[in-house]
Amino acid sequence: GVVRSASEASTSTSSPLTPPFPAPRPPRSPHESSTLAVCGADDQLTLWDMALEDDPEARNVADAREDLKDIPPQLYFVHQGQKDMKELHWHPQIPGLILSTAEDGFNLFRAAN
């Protein structure tokens, strides 16, 4: 398929792989530009620090533990317990505070640093 910008896409020429609207971007923290939050069909909301790079020493420790082997270094928090999460929003004034909405309610939480 061909990737097109939103201004180039039209309903008559867009392929099944090219939506006729801009794809949503994961919301970045208004206080930490390298931090983003993602929620999806797996009923998890994850926080990522995209400024982190792989640390070989930490990777050696993680590889020795089966439960940490497949966790990327940028992933630093997983929020679970909501069913069918729909959206999330960062609080504009309180650093790290996130509101998530789901089929079974909403949560306000702040990941501990």
Side-chain angles (χ1 to χ4, degrees), residues 3-104:
V3 176
R4 299 178 188 175
S5 71
S7 61
E8 296 173 329
S10 72
T11 56
S12 61
T13 61
S14 63
S15 74
L17 300 177
T18 307
F21 50 85
R25 293 178 18 184
R28 291 195 181 269
S29 166
H31 301 91
E32 294 290 331
S33 63
S34 66
T35 301
L36 59 98
V38 179
C39 67
D42 60 356
D43 296 335
Q44 297 184 105
L45 187 151
T46 54
L47 299 180
W48 300 79
D49 186 346
M50 302 314 288
L52 293 178
E53 296 182 12
D54 195 21
D55 177 359
E57 188 174 316
R59 178 56 49 202
N60 288 338
V61 171
D63 286 344
R65 288 187 49 190
E66 202 58 39
D67 60 333
L68 299 177
K69 190 182 284 189
D70 296 325
I71 298 175
Q74 295 82 7
L75 175 64
Y76 73 90
F77 186 80
V78 178
H79 174 68
Q80 298 175 317
Q82 288 184 280
K83 182 180 177 189
D84 196 22
M85 280 190 233
K86 295 297 183 190
E87 60 183 305
L88 63 95
H89 297 279
W90 293 94
H91 193 284
Q93 296 173 329
I94 303 173
L97 186 66
I98 295 176
L99 167 72
S100 60
T101 63
E103 180 180 301
D104 58 351

